[in-house]
């Protein structure tokens, strides 16, 4: 029976499958000429690309099959690039997730897979499209690989580099009609990527030093001559200070202590970008047709925008007024800016995609992400802040079930986000709303270390994975004690990824805090996590190094002290573990180790293995199974009616 079986004040909530479906629209893109819209979506188990010709009834559809659909974009007006992900097994144990771009014609026929003519590039798991040339015929600029050459190939004078792999990152110009690529730029051992202009030339090169992991930006002023240094960061993390390159004024965008600035490639002159200061962490809205930023977004509870381009800002303003109270994201527009794509959503409003025709002043729906939830009662979300025990102000979203009465003393689910370098947003969260639909209040704290609230707030999380980041969650429960809407004595914790770690840390390191804990793809042993990252990215690699830094360069003793699997004997609450067996971000060994330790300590637990599933639960059947398992676990250990 449902956990809401005691409630007769409203009809039965939607089934778990309505929340667990893969969105019916994952992405959409409008052609440069504004004549067609490509939509990536379809049924949960049958991904497809449909290509709508505006003002005409035909809607050709190409089936992609049971793959993970990632994104779509146009390469000129004649081809759509659909990015899909799939798995390949190499050797007895290693599973790799590959992303590739499939070129599709406007009548929804497959044209080619990009860069299939280059054997070397097949070994790169991702395939970022860095740009599309303007003019006919359009070409895609694709990140691939090339054989190393020159001094750095084998006789590098830096001893650490000897035995270096014989390939480097490379920039390829690819014909979307046949997928064939032409090598146009070969990187160094340190090169990570490029920014390209609309003519298809590499104008910015992004490097990460292989030995000290420092990030650097090199440029070609006016597109000519050798690479020159434009910016050097002092660390791997400093890559986040780089926001992109603007073609019209030949500047790079950088984040500094004084906010966002423009730095000229020609003379190094620095000037402010917009009015945004150094407070909340901003992001840029980009115009792919002009290769420049047109707006700056930032915000706490919900996004706010400063428009650098009045024409785009005016279109956004029309949509914001039309959809008051929701988040309106501009997802693209035609080259002449007469037609715009927008995604509109909110915490209790699943995403809907719209086409805005500016001359006609018409807004037309293109598709709903969760069609089975149309008309369903959903939870109501509000923004709160509370003080952590050391005085730091912590923001949070609190969602109450649909139709909740004031003073209902509801059971509470603490639902921390993953990352931890991430944040929750003013958007639909299928797990939060599912839990609310079953009668639970849901707290989503933006604990210290979360992104989006300024660099000082982020840095406050370093070394605090098992410490203050966890007490921030517990302090949120304490802050709600004065509220009669929730019952602070009836609380469970549920989370995925780092949120799953928080659930396990809550149950093992703070055993009095929660009645039960559910971890989805969570970490249980921090030392093992470092070993796993080292296996994937190299023991001295930048990603592994950054993880060590996030953990506060912790000693073995501190890693053990903050590892839930090492404290299974302290656990008092029942624990649910859910993990995909193809998770390459947090391998399933993390949940298996926790289950072994709980079993050895005689603690109640359950481990559910999701077959063929990765870290992000990209199969609808596995999402639905996860939600149903959560519902049963909570109904048993935290019933809505006490």
């Amino acid at each position: 029976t449902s956990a809401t079986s005691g409630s007769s004040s409203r009809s039965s909530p939607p089934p778990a499958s309505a929340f667990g479906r893969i969105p019916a629209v994952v992405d959409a893109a409008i052609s440069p000429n504004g004549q067609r819209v490509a939509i990536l979506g379809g049924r949960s188990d049958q991904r497809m690309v449909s290509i709508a010709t505006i003002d005409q009834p035909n809607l050709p559809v190409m089936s992609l099959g049971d793959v993970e659909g990632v994104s779509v974009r146009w390469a000129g007006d004649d081809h759509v690039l659909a990015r899909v992900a799939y798995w390949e097994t190499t050797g007895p144990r290693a599973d790799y997730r590959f992303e590739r771009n499939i070129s599709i014609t406007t009548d929804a026929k497959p044209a080619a897979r990009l860069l299939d003519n280059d054997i070397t590039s097949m070994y790169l798991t991702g395939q970022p499209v860095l740009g599309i040339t303007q003019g006919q015929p359009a070409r895609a600029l694709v990140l691939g690989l090339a054989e190393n050459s020159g001094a750095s190939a084998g006789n590098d004078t830096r001893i650490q580099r000897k035995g270096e792999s014989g390939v480097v990152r490379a920039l390829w110009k690819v014909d979307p009609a046949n997928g064939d690529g032409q090598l146009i730029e070969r990187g160094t051992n340190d090169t990570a990527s490029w920014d390209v202009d609309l003519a298809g030339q590499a104008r910015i090169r992004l490097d990460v030093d292989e030995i000290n992991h420092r990030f650097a930006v090199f440029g070609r002023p006016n597109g000519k001559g050798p690479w020159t240094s434009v910016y050097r960061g002092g660390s791997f993390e400093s890559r986040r200070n780089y926001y992109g390159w603007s073609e019209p004024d030949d500047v790079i965008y950088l984040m500094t202590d004084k906010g966002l600035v423009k730095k000229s490639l020609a003379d190094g002159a620095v000037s402010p970008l917009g009015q945004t200061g150094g407070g909340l962490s901003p992001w840029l809205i980009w115009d792919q047709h002009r290769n420049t930023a047109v707006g700056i977004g930032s915000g706490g509870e919900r996004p706010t925008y400063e428009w650098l381009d009045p024409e785009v800002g005016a279109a956004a303003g029309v949509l914001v007024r039309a959809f008051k109270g929701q988040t309106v994201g501009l997802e693209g527009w035609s080259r002449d800016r007469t037609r715009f794509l927008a995604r509109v959503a909110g915490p209790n409003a699943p995403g809907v995609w719209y086409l805005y025709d500016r001359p006609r002043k018409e807004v037309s729906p293109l598709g709903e992400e969760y069609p089975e939830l149309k008309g369903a009662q959903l939870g109501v979300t509000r923004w709160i802040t509370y003080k952590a025990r050391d005085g730091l102000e912590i923001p949070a979203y609190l969602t109450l079930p649909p139709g909740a009465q004031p003073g209902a003393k509801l059971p509470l689910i603490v639902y921390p986000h993953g990352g931890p370098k991430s944040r929750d947003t003013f958007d639909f969260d299928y797990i939060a709303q599912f839990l609310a639909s079953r009668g639970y209040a849901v707290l989503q704290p933006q604990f210290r270390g979360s992104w989006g609230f300024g660099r000082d707030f982020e840095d406050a999380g370093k070394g605090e994975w098992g410490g203050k980041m966890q007490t921030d969650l517990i302090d949120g429960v304490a802050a709600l004690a004065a509220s009669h809407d929730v019952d602070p004595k009836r609380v469970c914790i549920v989370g995925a990824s780092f949120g799953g770690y928080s659930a396990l840390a809550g149950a093992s390191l703070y055993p009095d805090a929660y009645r039960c804990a559910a971890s989805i793809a969570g970490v249980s042993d921090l030392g093992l996590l470092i070993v796993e990252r080292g296996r994937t990215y190299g023991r001295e690699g930048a990603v592994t190094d950054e993880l060590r830094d996030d953990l506060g360069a912790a000693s073995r003793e501190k890693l053990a002290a903050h590892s839930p699997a090492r404290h299974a004997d302290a656990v008092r609450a029942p624990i649910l573990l859910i993990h995909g067996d193809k998770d390459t971000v947090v391998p399933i060994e993390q949940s298996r180790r926790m289950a072994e330790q709980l079993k050895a300590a005689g603690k109640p637990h359950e481990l559910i293995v999701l077959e063929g599933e990765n870290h992000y639960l990209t199969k609808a059947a596995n999402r639905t199974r996860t939600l149903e398992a959560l519902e049963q676990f909570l109904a048993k250990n935290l019933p809505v009616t006490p």
Side-chain angles (χ1 to χ4, degrees):
T1 59
S2 163
T4 55
S5 56
S7 171
S8 58
S9 61
R10 56 194 171 89
S11 58
S12 296
S17 58
F19 295 90
R21 65 125 55 240
I22 304 302
V25 179
V26 171
D27 195 18
I30 190 166
S31 60
N33 64 13
Q35 297 301 306
R36 293 181 173 88
V37 175
I39 300 172
L40 172 64
R43 292 204 328 258
S44 286
D45 58 346
Q46 187 62 249
R47 301 279 87 184
M48 59 187 59
V49 173
S50 57
I51 300 174
T53 304
I54 298 168
D55 296 330
Q56 292 182 21
N58 60 321
L59 186 72
V61 173
M62 179 179 142
S63 173
L64 298 171
D66 191 8
V67 297
E68 180 189 342
V70 180
S71 63
V72 284
R73 71 181 293 174
W74 286 85
D77 293 312
D78 298 326
H79 292 92
V80 174
L81 304 181
R83 183 184 302 232
V84 301
Y86 57 91
W87 289 84
E88 283 190 2
T89 303
T90 57
R93 282 193 62 187
D95 287 306
Y96 291 94
R97 176 183 176 275
F98 286 87
E99 284 191 4
R100 289 294 181 263
N101 294 280
I102 299 169
S103 177
I104 303 168
T105 64
T106 53
D107 55 355
K109 297 287 191 288
R113 271 200 339 176
L114 298 194
L115 212 51
D116 262 11
N117 69 316
D118 182 61
I119 294 172
T120 307
S121 294
M122 290 168 62
Y123 292 97
L124 201 60
T125 53
Q127 193 184 65
V129 175
L130 303 182
I132 305 292
T133 62
Q134 276 192 355
Q136 297 296 333
R139 295 289 184 262
L141 285 305
V142 178
L143 187 68
L145 295 172
E147 290 186 8
N148 208 342
S149 65
S152 61
N155 58 351
D156 196 307
T157 54
R158 289 192 277 182
I159 294 297
Q160 291 108 313
R161 291 189 184 239
K162 291 207 169 165
E164 174 66 30
S165 109
V167 295
V168 290
R169 298 287 175 104
L171 185 62
W172 292 78
K173 185 180 285 188
V174 183
D175 183 351
N178 57 26
D180 289 349
Q182 170 193 355
L183 179 66
I184 61 169
E185 190 85 28
R186 182 185 269 108
T188 71
N189 276 321
D190 295 331
T191 300
S193 189
W194 288 267
D195 281 336
V196 296
D197 64 21
L198 295 170
Q201 299 298 311
R203 300 290 293 274
I204 295 289
R205 196 184 81 212
L206 308 174
D207 284 13
V208 175
D209 188 289
E210 198 176 60
I211 296 168
N212 60 33
H213 307 152
R214 288 177 185 157
F215 172 74
V217 180
F218 296 89
R220 280 186 179 137
N222 304 314
K224 296 170 185 164
W227 292 108
T228 59
S229 177
V230 185
Y231 168 77
R232 289 187 180 274
S235 64
F236 181 50
E237 190 177 34
S238 67
R239 70 194 186 282
R240 291 181 51 216
N241 294 334
Y242 176 73
Y243 274 64
W245 169 74
S246 169
E247 182 163 353
D249 41 3
D250 204 18
V251 300
I252 62 169
Y253 301 131
L254 288 173
M255 172 56 76
T256 68
D257 293 340
K258 297 177 181 176
L260 282 169
V261 301
K262 300 185 287 186
K263 183 174 184 181
S264 167
L265 266 65
D267 59 11
V270 174
S271 57
L273 178 68
Q275 307 301 312
T276 308
L280 296 175
S281 310
W283 64 91
L284 297 181
I285 297 88
W286 209 261
D287 186 333
Q288 291 185 341
H289 305 299
R290 302 185 187 183
N291 226 0
T292 191
V294 292
I296 304 170
S298 66
E301 177 186 6
R302 60 183 74 193
T304 57
Y305 298 99
E306 176 189 351
W307 293 104
L308 306 172
D309 187 305
E311 194 175 23
V312 178
V318 169
L319 293 164
V320 167
R321 289 190 291 275
F323 298 102
K324 280 190 173 67
Q326 297 186 59
T327 296
V328 177
L330 287 185
E331 302 292 335
W333 46 85
S334 58
R335 190 181 287 119
D336 65 5
R337 297 181 169 181
T338 58
R339 287 171 169 162
F340 292 77
L341 283 188
R343 179 183 177 272
V344 179
N348 63 348
V352 181
W353 291 70
Y354 292 92
L355 175 69
Y356 168 45
D357 191 308
R358 197 168 53 125
R360 295 180 182 176
K361 299 182 179 176
E362 290 177 355
V363 179
S364 314
L366 291 171
E368 299 173 13
E369 293 180 358
Y370 290 83
E372 295 87 354
L373 291 177
K374 189 176 179 71
Q377 274 194 305
L378 294 171
V380 177
T381 302
R382 68 175 187 255
W383 182 248
I384 64 171
T385 59
Y386 61 87
K387 273 194 163 48
R389 59 191 65 181
D390 65 356
L392 187 65
E393 199 80 17
I394 306 293
Y397 293 103
L398 176 65
T399 302
L400 299 182
Q405 299 300 310
K409 284 283 184 185
L410 298 161
L412 176 67
I413 306 295
V414 176
Y415 175 44
H417 61 71
K421 293 181 174 180
S422 177
R423 63 156 294 177
D424 295 302
T425 59
F426 196 78
D427 204 335
F428 181 77
D429 185 305
Y430 75 93
I431 293 180
Q433 281 293 345
F434 173 76
L435 294 171
S437 77
R438 269 50 188 171
Y440 297 97
V442 182
L443 179 68
Q444 295 172 272
Q446 309 311 297
F447 47 84
R448 72 191 67 206
S450 300
W451 276 4
F453 304 97
R455 193 57 64 90
D456 289 346
F457 192 85
E458 293 170 20
D459 289 345
K462 287 193 175 178
E464 296 292 344
W465 275 40
K468 292 179 180 178
M469 291 162 97
Q470 304 309 322
T471 56
D472 285 350
L473 309 180
I474 297 167
D475 292 344
V477 177
L480 291 175
S483 160
H484 296 294
D485 293 331
V486 302
D487 183 349
K489 294 188 174 67
R490 292 196 297 139
V491 186
C492 282
I493 182 168
V494 173
S497 194
F498 178 83
Y501 166 79
S502 291
L504 298 178
S508 57
L509 309 182
Y510 304 90
D512 296 326
Y514 306 105
R515 284 201 181 183
C516 58
S519 165
I520 305 164
V523 174
S524 71
D525 189 314
L526 299 180
L528 177 62
L529 182 66
I530 291 176
V531 169
E532 290 165 343
R533 288 284 164 90
R535 205 178 290 151
T536 305
Y537 298 102
R539 284 172 57 190
E540 303 305 321
V543 174
T544 312
D545 216 34
E546 188 170 46
L547 174 62
R548 290 193 191 99
D549 187 49
D550 290 341
L551 292 170
S555 63
R556 285 188 178 183
E557 290 75 20
K558 185 176 178 180
L559 291 176
H562 284 185
S563 292
R566 307 292 184 98
H567 302 277
D569 55 344
V571 170
R572 295 178 197 162
I575 289 181
L576 173 65
L577 300 159
I578 302 174
H579 219 120
D581 63 359
K582 278 186 162 40
D583 191 335
T584 55
V585 179
V586 177
I588 193 173
E589 280 70 30
Q590 291 282 348
S591 284
R592 286 188 170 136
R593 178 164 293 194
M594 189 72 197
E596 288 166 5
Q597 297 302 315
L598 290 168
K599 183 179 180 182
K603 306 295 181 173
H605 70 282
E606 180 184 4
L607 171 61
I608 295 175
V609 177
L610 304 175
E611 291 185 15
E613 189 55 82
N614 66 18
H615 189 66
Y616 303 102
L617 303 191
T618 52
K619 295 178 183 291
N622 285 330
R623 281 193 182 186
T624 301
R625 185 182 176 199
T626 295
L627 296 179
E628 289 172 345
L630 279 175
E631 182 173 13
Q632 292 166 9
F633 177 75
L634 293 170
K636 178 181 178 183
N637 297 295
L638 191 71
V640 171
T641 306

